[in-house]
Amino acid sequence: MKQVYDLIESINDKVMEYLKRTGLVPSSIAISPGSYRRLLEITAWEERIGNLIIGCRQLKEIETPFGKLSVIIDELLANTAVEVV
């Protein structure tokens, strides 16, 4: 069976690792431009907006089980990289 990369699971895992390591909930998460686009697509689907269209609203924060995190687009990150800030 082929493994599928799950961006939301990766974000939640990184937040959990940060929480365990520091005892604090992070305030921001840095993702690559490609991951940001995927996050927009997921959000559009969850909100039943339909297909992603040019000019849709900007995604400034994401809701996680640990609270809301600000989203930062980091052009130097690899396509599937997620960094907690």
Side-chain angles (χ1 to χ4, degrees):
M1 190 162 134
K2 186 177 179 182
Q3 278 292 72
V4 176
Y5 177 72
D6 185 344
L7 178 60
I8 302 299
E9 182 179 330
S10 179
I11 291 170
N12 289 336
D13 289 347
K14 289 287 186 174
V15 172
M16 179 62 87
E17 289 172 17
Y18 184 88
L19 182 62
K20 285 181 180 178
R21 189 177 69 243
T22 66
L24 303 170
V25 176
S27 60
S28 302
I29 192 154
I31 58 176
S32 69
S35 291
Y36 178 76
R37 176 157 177 94
R38 179 64 185 134
L39 202 53
L40 282 175
E41 291 170 350
I42 292 168
T43 303
W45 181 83
E46 287 176 348
E47 294 177 2
R48 304 294 187 254
I49 295 171
N51 292 337
L52 180 65
I53 55 173
I54 294 175
C56 71
R57 68 179 175 83
Q58 179 182 5
L59 184 62
K60 295 181 180 180
E61 48 186 27
I62 181 174
E63 185 71 39
T64 70
F66 311 98
K68 288 186 179 183
L69 300 176
S70 297
V71 176
I72 300 168
I73 303 169
D74 187 339
E75 294 183 0
L76 298 178
L77 289 176
N79 203 30
T80 57
V82 174
E83 297 293 329
V84 178
V85 183

